[in-house]
Amino acid sequence: SCCATTAEALLSSELFLLPGVLDLSVDIERGHIRVETDPSRIDAESVADALTEIGYPPEQRLGLTLGPS
């Protein structure tokens, strides 16, 4: 749907601004976000903070996977 596409685009554009975010996949229907990171450059708390700032606080995330692939 258009809302899911918009949410995916927002998440992608914001998270890729963070140093250390290498890749991400978003499944809006299931409420899952998978973020591939370089742990030497970013930690889980920084990613969670960024998600909160764009309107996806931790209590709204059903699944968040961080770390190298």
Side-chain angles (χ1 to χ4, degrees), residues 21-52:
V21 172
L22 306 175
D23 193 21
L24 74 112
S25 62
V26 180
D27 184 341
I28 295 296
E29 290 181 17
R30 296 175 127 191
H32 289 254
I33 302 167
R34 185 184 123 342
V35 182
E36 181 182 341
T37 62
D38 175 348
S40 70
R41 298 185 66 206
I42 195 165
D43 60 16
E45 185 175 339
S46 297
V47 175
D49 289 346
L51 287 168
T52 297

Side-chain angles (χ1 to χ4, degrees), residues 7-8 10-11 28 33 48 51-58 60-61:
E8 290 172 26
L10 173 66
L11 288 164
I28 295 296
I33 302 167
L51 287 168
T52 297
E53 287 178 23
I54 59 174
Y56 291 87
Q60 290 183 359
R61 291 193 320 265

